[in-house]
Amino acid sequence: MTSPEMHPQRWGDPARATALPDAAAGLIELAFGGLDDRPAVSSVELPPVGLDADQLATVRRIVGDEHVLTGDEDRRLRTRGKSTPDLLRARAGDLTDAPDAVVRPATHDEVADLLRFCQEHEVALVPFGGGTSVTGGLVARREGYAGVLSLDLVRMKRLVDVDPVSMTATLEPGLRGPEAEALLAEHGVTIGHFPQSFEFASIGGFAATRSSGQSSAGYGRFDALVVRLTVATPQGTLQVGSAPANAAGPDLRQLMLGSEGAFGVITAVTVRVRRVPAEKVYEGWRWPSFLDGAAAMRTLAQAGLLPTVIRLSDESETAINLARPDEIGAEGAAGCLMITGFEGEPEAVAAKRAAVTAVLTGLGGTPAGEEVGQAWAHGRFNAPYLRDSLLDVGVLVETLETATFWSNLQALYDGVKTALETTLGDPTMVLCHISHVYETGCSLYFTVATKEGEQPVEQWLAAKAAASDAMMAAGATITHHHAVGTDHKQWFATEIGPVGVNILRAVKAELDPTGILNPGVLIP
Amino acid sequence: MTSPEMHPQRWGDPARATALPDAAAGLIELAFGGLDDRPAVSSVELPPVGLDADQLATVRRIVGDEHVLTGDEDRRLRTRGKSTPDLLRARAGDLTDAPDAVVRPATHDEVADLLRFCQEHEVALVPFGGGTSVTGGLVARREGYAGVLSLDLVRMKRLVDVDPVSMTATLEPGLRGPEAEALLAEHGVTIGHFPQSFEFASIGGFAATRSSGQSSAGYGRFDALVVRLTVATPQGTLQVGSAPANAAGPDLRQLMLGSEGAFGVITAVTVRVRRVPAEKVYEGWRWPSFLDGAAAMRTLAQAGLLPTVIRLSDESETAINLARPDEIGAEGAAGCLMITGFEGEPEAVAAKRAAVTAVLTGLGGTPAGEEVGQAWAHGRFNAPYLRDSLLDVGVLVETLETATFWSNLQALYDGVKTALETTLGDPTMVLCHISHVYETGCSLYFTVATKEGEQPVEQWLAAKAAASDAMMAAGATITHHHAVGTDHKQWFATEIGPVGVNILRAVKAELDPTGILNPGVLIP
């Protein structure tokens, strides 16, 4: 199957983004006082290729001539990721962070050879899977290096094996979400990992960033799904994960999960799989308030009764129907909308759904029917396209997310919301939902929209910094599922403290002594 | 509450071990041709205290005079752990590994001060919780150090806090299993962690060794329960665990879990807790064969239907009733005995039990009633006392354990069993059970009994080496829940490979540059 194409200045295919719903346009008109036309610049200039002919020839010998790309479009498509600042810079024609060349290895051994080349020639190497980082994970530091190679894993797309007895599958890192699921579906199994970036993001990226999908309550976070990893490092190959669980020292899988290309290149990932669900049901629930809905989520989680999907929009997000992109801006209901989803064998789905319904009804929830659930499921990967449309009309929109323990939820919610509203000033919309739920706590995902000013990157970064400070003040994490990249480093250092930072630096120095791997990313 | 006392040459109170059941005695007579009398030597000699008066005075200033113990009994009780080789050496009067002094800090800061003292004076420090290591985790290397301090955490026994909303609790490391559960029970909650070492083992030890309890299917392994850790290291304090889950870089909790005192001293552990179950039901099932029972476990795990407890004895273990210690040696049934246990609210217990019963019946299991389940629950912590009794009569008995993926189970079982039988020769009993079950695989726990020879330590170590080689040959782990210690290091190095070993060495060098922390343990 063919993957959809990314776009160098947008999330994806412009055709998917053109249809800003009428109601949304009206809402923007009302909230932000009219639409601007902010088209992306069409003429862009790339910096010259920094690597010399000998160096490029060496790389070509490793992967083959046709797999070393230095064309403008190839470099442009691997420049930065898909955060709003990334897109704003791309739309303004700024390609200063473009890699010198794109190199596409086909095997673990070719990756290892490329690592050796980069070490010898002091060339920085940026692993590239789906290119969907929203935290600057692809923006490696250029200073001090002879050049920057984008290591595009697009040729490493094999389903290596499926073990139907152990219910595991080994996949290569370049498989994008839909490609992996299509290959696994031939064996009747699924990973069940569906982040919003699903269409583009890759298996290697899921692992390297500790990704979490919309069905995390049912299938688990990606880091919980990984049973084995193969990692090519400048110091040799690391294979970790010899059993479903063990007590053989620290769990080195969990040191590589979240290593964001800074410790090595993940070349194979073995994950737990499940049978493709025979049935999928999504439905809506209404709650008088966000806290009522959150308390119900907590009750379900602590009773061991979580559905496959469970999400809760706060009052603001519910009011503009963000959970139903086709209807954004249409008149919303009062209170808060919850989406629950059940996937599995019909009997198990029916039993779980009945148990959940009993709990939610008992706690004061009102069923809102399957239509609203299906609408969410239908639009679940659309929000990033909507952002493209909003940026086109001068609405600055971005998301950020965090997580904390249940008893700290209100403090975190208030702190981040206030920080965003205060920094961005009127008119600003701050919307929030809970989309990942655990026995001990949950995530908070904020969507922010404001009128784009003259310096929109700086405008957003100030708000982001204030929100990040608020997360630290509340004792929460700087990121539940977007990783550290370059953008979160400052707060990440606060979160893990100086001893934690020194541990990461020591591992980095051991595995990547010349610092060629994604320099500037992750390690404070 | 008072904890039971350990015994320097036995698992615990000799009174608990004297009653070798008649049937068991008969079985031993039959299998090994008569009982020997192998009493432990009563006169033992301790090496002189290696630390000088100035050094001891410094330590006394940190923790107070009464908390620096250099008496023979104090040192003897913190010498080595409770593996059979440890006990054999202790029974033979060998106390060469005795610490020079036992020091009992009361706070994190006192631990930090002791770490500074040890760094300055090149004194090795061995964290001591319950003293139940069965892999040499307390046998620090003495060469190259001015002395060895046993850091007994017995005074750090506070329940720091309970968060009934988030369902977490923070505990100090010195709390033993029953002490921790008693404090938590006052708040109506439980950790649900019940390893066989429960009576003695400590919260800090559970974390440092990635312990797994008999109710792991229902409550999770200890490493899955930990949400936050505070660790005193020679380079400062590390606090990890800012949210129930996050994507803020590698999960450093999982680097400290399983660090076995080699990276730092765990001074506080925050764990997920559950409500104390209102109901507990244990019952037995019979299966025609071990593989039939294992297949049923796999079905339950992959259907998301695991009971709180699930165990399966192989044919040999079933035949001698090892799951019911009071009846060992009595005539056993054919086939294999499975124990299932359900804990929770009565409704949830009934629903889960009904679903499990339907699956097990459908797969050919035969219910064996609650009596057999209660018998297992009653005797669940008794096996180590039985070992004392067997060692007294010249039966060499020891356990070892591993884990693998379901598709590899038969190969691992056959490989380890053959290695043990071949190395020890006739007459040897090799018994096995599965006691920890995951979607992708399970653990295998072997109990081995043979007639004690002239050099029983060497006799066992040869068998252990052969079994460990077999685990590696099968691609399994060297330990599912007994940790690495000193005994597993060689195979641990094979399991994680040279790159993995170098990562651990780098972290060790960063956190403990002078190598004072449990030298010789964990790091190959």
PDB file of all heavy atoms in Angstrom, chain A residues 182-211:
ATOM      1  N   ALA A 182      -1.540  -2.868   7.976  1.00  0.00           N
ATOM      2  CA  ALA A 182      -1.980  -3.644   6.808  1.00  0.00           C
ATOM      3  C   ALA A 182      -1.238  -4.976   6.732  1.00  0.00           C
ATOM      4  O   ALA A 182      -1.839  -6.026   6.463  1.00  0.00           O
ATOM      5  CB  ALA A 182      -1.771  -2.830   5.532  1.00  0.00           C
ATOM      6  N   LEU A 183       0.062  -4.939   6.996  1.00  0.00           N
ATOM      7  CA  LEU A 183       0.835  -6.191   6.963  1.00  0.00           C
ATOM      8  C   LEU A 183       0.398  -7.135   8.072  1.00  0.00           C
ATOM      9  O   LEU A 183       0.263  -8.352   7.868  1.00  0.00           O
ATOM     10  CB  LEU A 183       2.334  -5.889   7.101  1.00  0.00           C
ATOM     11  CG  LEU A 183       2.998  -5.217   5.893  1.00  0.00           C
ATOM     12  CD1 LEU A 183       4.423  -4.783   6.240  1.00  0.00           C
ATOM     13  CD2 LEU A 183       3.010  -6.175   4.698  1.00  0.00           C
ATOM     14  N   LEU A 184       0.158  -6.582   9.236  1.00  0.00           N
ATOM     15  CA  LEU A 184      -0.260  -7.421  10.365  1.00  0.00           C
ATOM     16  C   LEU A 184      -1.665  -7.967  10.157  1.00  0.00           C
ATOM     17  O   LEU A 184      -1.972  -9.104  10.558  1.00  0.00           O
ATOM     18  CB  LEU A 184      -0.180  -6.615  11.671  1.00  0.00           C
ATOM     19  CG  LEU A 184       1.238  -6.277  12.133  1.00  0.00           C
ATOM     20  CD1 LEU A 184       1.213  -5.243  13.259  1.00  0.00           C
ATOM     21  CD2 LEU A 184       1.976  -7.543  12.578  1.00  0.00           C
ATOM     22  N   ALA A 185      -2.516  -7.185   9.523  1.00  0.00           N
ATOM     23  CA  ALA A 185      -3.898  -7.625   9.296  1.00  0.00           C
ATOM     24  C   ALA A 185      -3.939  -8.901   8.451  1.00  0.00           C
ATOM     25  O   ALA A 185      -4.843  -9.721   8.598  1.00  0.00           O
ATOM     26  CB  ALA A 185      -4.705  -6.514   8.639  1.00  0.00           C
ATOM     27  N   GLU A 186      -2.931  -9.059   7.594  1.00  0.00           N
ATOM     28  CA  GLU A 186      -2.878 -10.313   6.809  1.00  0.00           C
ATOM     29  C   GLU A 186      -2.729 -11.525   7.724  1.00  0.00           C
ATOM     30  O   GLU A 186      -3.047 -12.646   7.339  1.00  0.00           O
ATOM     31  CB  GLU A 186      -1.705 -10.266   5.819  1.00  0.00           C
ATOM     32  CG  GLU A 186      -1.886  -9.227   4.724  1.00  0.00           C
ATOM     33  CD  GLU A 186      -0.635  -9.100   3.842  1.00  0.00           C
ATOM     34  OE1 GLU A 186       0.208 -10.026   3.869  1.00  0.00           O
ATOM     35  OE2 GLU A 186      -0.519  -8.074   3.151  1.00  0.00           O
ATOM     36  N   HIS A 187      -2.214 -11.305   8.909  1.00  0.00           N
ATOM     37  CA  HIS A 187      -2.085 -12.384   9.900  1.00  0.00           C
ATOM     38  C   HIS A 187      -3.198 -12.326  10.949  1.00  0.00           C
ATOM     39  O   HIS A 187      -3.149 -13.061  11.935  1.00  0.00           O
ATOM     40  CB  HIS A 187      -0.722 -12.303  10.595  1.00  0.00           C
ATOM     41  CG  HIS A 187       0.443 -12.467   9.662  1.00  0.00           C
ATOM     42  ND1 HIS A 187       1.089 -13.664   9.478  1.00  0.00           N
ATOM     43  CD2 HIS A 187       1.042 -11.586   8.833  1.00  0.00           C
ATOM     44  CE1 HIS A 187       2.054 -13.508   8.587  1.00  0.00           C
ATOM     45  NE2 HIS A 187       2.057 -12.254   8.176  1.00  0.00           N
ATOM     46  N   GLY A 188      -4.139 -11.419  10.737  1.00  0.00           N
ATOM     47  CA  GLY A 188      -5.260 -11.333  11.670  1.00  0.00           C
ATOM     48  C   GLY A 188      -4.942 -10.642  12.978  1.00  0.00           C
ATOM     49  O   GLY A 188      -5.693 -10.775  13.945  1.00  0.00           O
ATOM     50  N   VAL A 189      -3.818  -9.903  13.013  1.00  0.00           N
ATOM     51  CA  VAL A 189      -3.440  -9.261  14.272  1.00  0.00           C
ATOM     52  C   VAL A 189      -3.256  -7.757  14.083  1.00  0.00           C
ATOM     53  O   VAL A 189      -3.170  -7.261  12.962  1.00  0.00           O
ATOM     54  CB  VAL A 189      -2.151  -9.890  14.870  1.00  0.00           C
ATOM     55  CG1 VAL A 189      -2.372 -11.355  15.181  1.00  0.00           C
ATOM     56  CG2 VAL A 189      -0.955  -9.690  13.948  1.00  0.00           C
ATOM     57  N   THR A 190      -3.194  -7.050  15.199  1.00  0.00           N
ATOM     58  CA  THR A 190      -3.045  -5.592  15.199  1.00  0.00           C
ATOM     59  C   THR A 190      -2.154  -5.175  16.364  1.00  0.00           C
ATOM     60  O   THR A 190      -2.107  -5.868  17.386  1.00  0.00           O
ATOM     61  CB  THR A 190      -4.411  -4.899  15.339  1.00  0.00           C
ATOM     62  OG1 THR A 190      -4.221  -3.471  15.418  1.00  0.00           O
ATOM     63  CG2 THR A 190      -5.154  -5.343  16.598  1.00  0.00           C
ATOM     64  N   ILE A 191      -1.451  -4.053  16.181  1.00  0.00           N
ATOM     65  CA  ILE A 191      -0.725  -3.475  17.320  1.00  0.00           C
ATOM     66  C   ILE A 191      -1.706  -2.711  18.202  1.00  0.00           C
ATOM     67  O   ILE A 191      -1.572  -2.679  19.415  1.00  0.00           O
ATOM     68  CB  ILE A 191       0.400  -2.525  16.840  1.00  0.00           C
ATOM     69  CG1 ILE A 191       1.352  -3.240  15.879  1.00  0.00           C
ATOM     70  CG2 ILE A 191       1.179  -1.972  18.036  1.00  0.00           C
ATOM     71  CD1 ILE A 191       2.384  -2.311  15.238  1.00  0.00           C
ATOM     72  N   GLY A 192      -2.674  -2.077  17.574  1.00  0.00           N
ATOM     73  CA  GLY A 192      -3.634  -1.282  18.345  1.00  0.00           C
ATOM     74  C   GLY A 192      -3.088   0.072  18.755  1.00  0.00           C
ATOM     75  O   GLY A 192      -3.561   0.673  19.712  1.00  0.00           O
ATOM     76  N   HIS A 193      -2.100   0.549  18.002  1.00  0.00           N
ATOM     77  CA  HIS A 193      -1.475   1.832  18.364  1.00  0.00           C
ATOM     78  C   HIS A 193      -1.884   2.894  17.342  1.00  0.00           C
ATOM     79  O   HIS A 193      -1.417   2.879  16.204  1.00  0.00           O
ATOM     80  CB  HIS A 193       0.042   1.662  18.387  1.00  0.00           C
ATOM     81  CG  HIS A 193       0.750   2.893  18.837  1.00  0.00           C
ATOM     82  ND1 HIS A 193       0.674   3.356  20.129  1.00  0.00           N
ATOM     83  CD2 HIS A 193       1.505   3.804  18.172  1.00  0.00           C
ATOM     84  CE1 HIS A 193       1.376   4.476  20.236  1.00  0.00           C
ATOM     85  NE2 HIS A 193       1.875   4.767  19.057  1.00  0.00           N
ATOM     86  N   PHE A 194      -2.741   3.810  17.760  1.00  0.00           N
ATOM     87  CA  PHE A 194      -3.298   4.785  16.835  1.00  0.00           C
ATOM     88  C   PHE A 194      -3.168   6.204  17.371  1.00  0.00           C
ATOM     89  O   PHE A 194      -4.150   6.819  17.785  1.00  0.00           O
ATOM     90  CB  PHE A 194      -4.775   4.464  16.564  1.00  0.00           C
ATOM     91  CG  PHE A 194      -5.003   3.068  16.060  1.00  0.00           C
ATOM     92  CD1 PHE A 194      -5.571   2.104  16.879  1.00  0.00           C
ATOM     93  CD2 PHE A 194      -4.609   2.707  14.783  1.00  0.00           C
ATOM     94  CE1 PHE A 194      -5.767   0.803  16.424  1.00  0.00           C
ATOM     95  CE2 PHE A 194      -4.795   1.406  14.321  1.00  0.00           C
ATOM     96  CZ  PHE A 194      -5.380   0.446  15.140  1.00  0.00           C
ATOM     97  N   PRO A 195      -1.953   6.744  17.357  1.00  0.00           N
ATOM     98  CA  PRO A 195      -1.809   8.153  17.738  1.00  0.00           C
ATOM     99  C   PRO A 195      -2.391   9.042  16.633  1.00  0.00           C
ATOM    100  O   PRO A 195      -2.672   8.563  15.526  1.00  0.00           O
ATOM    101  CB  PRO A 195      -0.296   8.331  17.848  1.00  0.00           C
ATOM    102  CG  PRO A 195       0.252   7.339  16.875  1.00  0.00           C
ATOM    103  CD  PRO A 195      -0.687   6.156  16.932  1.00  0.00           C
ATOM    104  N   GLN A 196      -2.553  10.321  16.920  1.00  0.00           N
ATOM    105  CA  GLN A 196      -3.109  11.213  15.904  1.00  0.00           C
ATOM    106  C   GLN A 196      -2.195  11.278  14.668  1.00  0.00           C
ATOM    107  O   GLN A 196      -2.643  11.542  13.561  1.00  0.00           O
ATOM    108  CB  GLN A 196      -3.278  12.616  16.499  1.00  0.00           C
ATOM    109  CG  GLN A 196      -4.229  13.459  15.698  1.00  0.00           C
ATOM    110  CD  GLN A 196      -4.600  14.723  16.441  1.00  0.00           C
ATOM    111  OE1 GLN A 196      -3.761  15.578  16.698  1.00  0.00           O
ATOM    112  NE2 GLN A 196      -5.858  14.835  16.807  1.00  0.00           N
ATOM    113  N   SER A 197      -0.917  10.998  14.871  1.00  0.00           N
ATOM    114  CA  SER A 197       0.055  11.021  13.772  1.00  0.00           C
ATOM    115  C   SER A 197       0.082   9.727  12.979  1.00  0.00           C
ATOM    116  O   SER A 197       0.939   9.540  12.106  1.00  0.00           O
ATOM    117  CB  SER A 197       1.451  11.262  14.358  1.00  0.00           C
ATOM    118  OG  SER A 197       1.761  10.219  15.277  1.00  0.00           O
ATOM    119  N   PHE A 198      -0.855   8.830  13.282  1.00  0.00           N
ATOM    120  CA  PHE A 198      -0.860   7.461  12.755  1.00  0.00           C
ATOM    121  C   PHE A 198      -0.562   7.353  11.258  1.00  0.00           C
ATOM    122  O   PHE A 198       0.193   6.497  10.818  1.00  0.00           O
ATOM    123  CB  PHE A 198      -2.206   6.815  13.080  1.00  0.00           C
ATOM    124  CG  PHE A 198      -2.401   5.436  12.510  1.00  0.00           C
ATOM    125  CD1 PHE A 198      -1.693   4.359  13.013  1.00  0.00           C
ATOM    126  CD2 PHE A 198      -3.309   5.215  11.476  1.00  0.00           C
ATOM    127  CE1 PHE A 198      -1.887   3.080  12.499  1.00  0.00           C
ATOM    128  CE2 PHE A 198      -3.509   3.942  10.955  1.00  0.00           C
ATOM    129  CZ  PHE A 198      -2.795   2.876  11.470  1.00  0.00           C
ATOM    130  N   GLU A 199      -1.161   8.224  10.455  1.00  0.00           N
ATOM    131  CA  GLU A 199      -1.025   8.101   8.996  1.00  0.00           C
ATOM    132  C   GLU A 199       0.424   8.191   8.527  1.00  0.00           C
ATOM    133  O   GLU A 199       0.792   7.619   7.507  1.00  0.00           O
ATOM    134  CB  GLU A 199      -1.824   9.197   8.296  1.00  0.00           C
ATOM    135  CG  GLU A 199      -3.326   9.012   8.377  1.00  0.00           C
ATOM    136  CD  GLU A 199      -4.044  10.143   7.645  1.00  0.00           C
ATOM    137  OE1 GLU A 199      -3.628  11.314   7.820  1.00  0.00           O
ATOM    138  OE2 GLU A 199      -4.983   9.861   6.909  1.00  0.00           O
ATOM    139  N   PHE A 200       1.224   8.977   9.248  1.00  0.00           N
ATOM    140  CA  PHE A 200       2.597   9.206   8.804  1.00  0.00           C
ATOM    141  C   PHE A 200       3.646   8.580   9.719  1.00  0.00           C
ATOM    142  O   PHE A 200       4.692   8.149   9.264  1.00  0.00           O
ATOM    143  CB  PHE A 200       2.868  10.712   8.710  1.00  0.00           C
ATOM    144  CG  PHE A 200       2.011  11.409   7.695  1.00  0.00           C
ATOM    145  CD1 PHE A 200       0.923  12.167   8.080  1.00  0.00           C
ATOM    146  CD2 PHE A 200       2.286  11.280   6.335  1.00  0.00           C
ATOM    147  CE1 PHE A 200       0.128  12.804   7.141  1.00  0.00           C
ATOM    148  CE2 PHE A 200       1.493  11.917   5.384  1.00  0.00           C
ATOM    149  CZ  PHE A 200       0.404  12.681   5.782  1.00  0.00           C
ATOM    150  N   ALA A 201       3.372   8.563  11.013  1.00  0.00           N
ATOM    151  CA  ALA A 201       4.415   8.197  11.979  1.00  0.00           C
ATOM    152  C   ALA A 201       4.808   6.734  11.823  1.00  0.00           C
ATOM    153  O   ALA A 201       4.039   5.907  11.342  1.00  0.00           O
ATOM    154  CB  ALA A 201       3.943   8.482  13.401  1.00  0.00           C
ATOM    155  N   SER A 202       6.030   6.422  12.251  1.00  0.00           N
ATOM    156  CA  SER A 202       6.623   5.116  11.959  1.00  0.00           C
ATOM    157  C   SER A 202       6.836   4.291  13.221  1.00  0.00           C
ATOM    158  O   SER A 202       6.882   4.812  14.338  1.00  0.00           O
ATOM    159  CB  SER A 202       7.966   5.322  11.264  1.00  0.00           C
ATOM    160  OG  SER A 202       8.873   5.927  12.169  1.00  0.00           O
ATOM    161  N   ILE A 203       7.020   3.015  13.006  1.00  0.00           N
ATOM    162  CA  ILE A 203       7.285   2.079  14.104  1.00  0.00           C
ATOM    163  C   ILE A 203       8.517   2.505  14.902  1.00  0.00           C
ATOM    164  O   ILE A 203       8.502   2.525  16.140  1.00  0.00           O
ATOM    165  CB  ILE A 203       7.486   0.655  13.528  1.00  0.00           C
ATOM    166  CG1 ILE A 203       6.178   0.134  12.923  1.00  0.00           C
ATOM    167  CG2 ILE A 203       8.027  -0.289  14.591  1.00  0.00           C
ATOM    168  CD1 ILE A 203       5.068  -0.101  13.913  1.00  0.00           C
ATOM    169  N   GLY A 204       9.582   2.858  14.201  1.00  0.00           N
ATOM    170  CA  GLY A 204      10.783   3.299  14.905  1.00  0.00           C
ATOM    171  C   GLY A 204      10.526   4.555  15.713  1.00  0.00           C
ATOM    172  O   GLY A 204      10.993   4.697  16.848  1.00  0.00           O
ATOM    173  N   GLY A 205       9.765   5.453  15.126  1.00  0.00           N
ATOM    174  CA  GLY A 205       9.436   6.700  15.829  1.00  0.00           C
ATOM    175  C   GLY A 205       8.571   6.459  17.048  1.00  0.00           C
ATOM    176  O   GLY A 205       8.775   7.081  18.097  1.00  0.00           O
ATOM    177  N   PHE A 206       7.609   5.557  16.928  1.00  0.00           N
ATOM    178  CA  PHE A 206       6.768   5.226  18.090  1.00  0.00           C
ATOM    179  C   PHE A 206       7.655   4.805  19.266  1.00  0.00           C
ATOM    180  O   PHE A 206       7.430   5.181  20.415  1.00  0.00           O
ATOM    181  CB  PHE A 206       5.808   4.076  17.765  1.00  0.00           C
ATOM    182  CG  PHE A 206       4.749   4.389  16.728  1.00  0.00           C
ATOM    183  CD1 PHE A 206       4.239   3.373  15.928  1.00  0.00           C
ATOM    184  CD2 PHE A 206       4.249   5.670  16.575  1.00  0.00           C
ATOM    185  CE1 PHE A 206       3.247   3.636  14.985  1.00  0.00           C
ATOM    186  CE2 PHE A 206       3.252   5.945  15.622  1.00  0.00           C
ATOM    187  CZ  PHE A 206       2.756   4.918  14.833  1.00  0.00           C
ATOM    188  N   ALA A 207       8.651   3.971  18.947  1.00  0.00           N
ATOM    189  CA  ALA A 207       9.522   3.455  20.009  1.00  0.00           C
ATOM    190  C   ALA A 207      10.463   4.539  20.530  1.00  0.00           C
ATOM    191  O   ALA A 207      10.656   4.685  21.738  1.00  0.00           O
ATOM    192  CB  ALA A 207      10.318   2.261  19.492  1.00  0.00           C
ATOM    193  N   ALA A 208      11.035   5.293  19.610  1.00  0.00           N
ATOM    194  CA  ALA A 208      12.045   6.279  20.007  1.00  0.00           C
ATOM    195  C   ALA A 208      11.449   7.422  20.817  1.00  0.00           C
ATOM    196  O   ALA A 208      12.171   8.131  21.518  1.00  0.00           O
ATOM    197  CB  ALA A 208      12.753   6.826  18.763  1.00  0.00           C
ATOM    198  N   THR A 209      10.135   7.626  20.711  1.00  0.00           N
ATOM    199  CA  THR A 209       9.509   8.770  21.384  1.00  0.00           C
ATOM    200  C   THR A 209       8.524   8.369  22.473  1.00  0.00           C
ATOM    201  O   THR A 209       7.825   9.221  23.008  1.00  0.00           O
ATOM    202  CB  THR A 209       8.748   9.637  20.369  1.00  0.00           C
ATOM    203  OG1 THR A 209       7.699   8.843  19.775  1.00  0.00           O
ATOM    204  CG2 THR A 209       9.665  10.161  19.286  1.00  0.00           C
ATOM    205  N   ARG A 210       8.430   7.066  22.790  1.00  0.00           N
ATOM    206  CA  ARG A 210       7.446   6.617  23.785  1.00  0.00           C
ATOM    207  C   ARG A 210       6.048   7.116  23.428  1.00  0.00           C
ATOM    208  O   ARG A 210       5.337   7.702  24.256  1.00  0.00           O
ATOM    209  CB  ARG A 210       7.804   7.099  25.192  1.00  0.00           C
ATOM    210  CG  ARG A 210       9.180   6.737  25.646  1.00  0.00           C
ATOM    211  CD  ARG A 210       9.443   7.191  27.071  1.00  0.00           C
ATOM    212  NE  ARG A 210       8.872   6.247  28.021  1.00  0.00           N
ATOM    213  CZ  ARG A 210       9.476   5.114  28.391  1.00  0.00           C
ATOM    214  NH1 ARG A 210      10.650   4.804  27.923  1.00  0.00           N
ATOM    215  NH2 ARG A 210       8.894   4.306  29.229  1.00  0.00           N
ATOM    216  N   SER A 211       5.662   6.855  22.222  1.00  0.00           N
ATOM    217  CA  SER A 211       4.366   7.299  21.722  1.00  0.00           C
ATOM    218  C   SER A 211       3.206   6.659  22.487  1.00  0.00           C
ATOM    219  O   SER A 211       3.349   5.604  23.095  1.00  0.00           O
ATOM    220  CB  SER A 211       4.292   6.915  20.238  1.00  0.00           C
ATOM    221  OG  SER A 211       3.031   7.165  19.698  1.00  0.00           O
TER     222      SER A 211
END
